[in-house]
Amino acid sequence: MSGTGPGMGARPARHDTGGTGPPGGTGPPGGTGPPGGTGPPGGADVAAITDDLRAFLAAATGRDELLRIPPAAALFGTAVGLDSLTGTLLLREIQRRLGVDVAGEDLNMDSLATLGTLAEFVAQRIKPGGSP
């Protein structure tokens, strides 16, 4: 995992896997992808994506406590407190690093409700070769 984007290049230690999949990073329950989340759509490693999103949020805001937020934390609520600029930067970084255009695919922006909903949305749409 390399890159120079803010925060998305370094993966923090896992404090909370945040995903719904089994231990070991095999994706969501019933996923058919191999360990590491390189399988078909829906089989991406939600925990790894969640960690990458946490790292980006911490780097973009300068708040290290965001490395430990739970998946249920509201992105625009008090836990994270994203503003429109940071939200836009987050969406651009997801598209650049993972090839998922959240704004183009989720017109209601429901996926931005929580860290977990965003990670699940991205995991289900990640393009081959765009894994975290």
Side-chain angles (χ1 to χ4, degrees), residues 5 21 31 33 39 50 54 59 79-80 86 89 92 103 109 112 118 122:
T50 302
R54 284 182 181 117
V80 178
T86 310
L89 292 174
R92 285 181 47 201
M109 302 306 275
L112 290 177
L118 181 57
V122 171

Side-chain angles (χ1 to χ4, degrees), residues 21-52:
T26 57
T32 57
T38 57
D45 187 351
V46 175
I49 292 169
T50 302
D51 284 344
D52 285 344

Side-chain angles (χ1 to χ4, degrees), residues 34 39 42-43 69 75 78 84 88 92 97-98 107 111 125 129:
I69 59 171
L75 292 175
T78 56
S84 59
T88 300
R92 285 181 47 201
R97 300 265 310 147
L98 304 172
L107 298 180
S111 63
R125 288 161 178 80

Side-chain angles (χ1 to χ4, degrees), residues 80-104:
V80 178
L82 285 186
D83 58 22
S84 59
L85 176 60
T86 310
T88 300
L89 292 174
L90 175 63
L91 296 180
R92 285 181 47 201
E93 189 69 4
I94 290 170
Q95 185 170 11
R96 184 184 74 78
R97 300 265 310 147
L98 304 172
V100 177
D101 180 7
V102 177

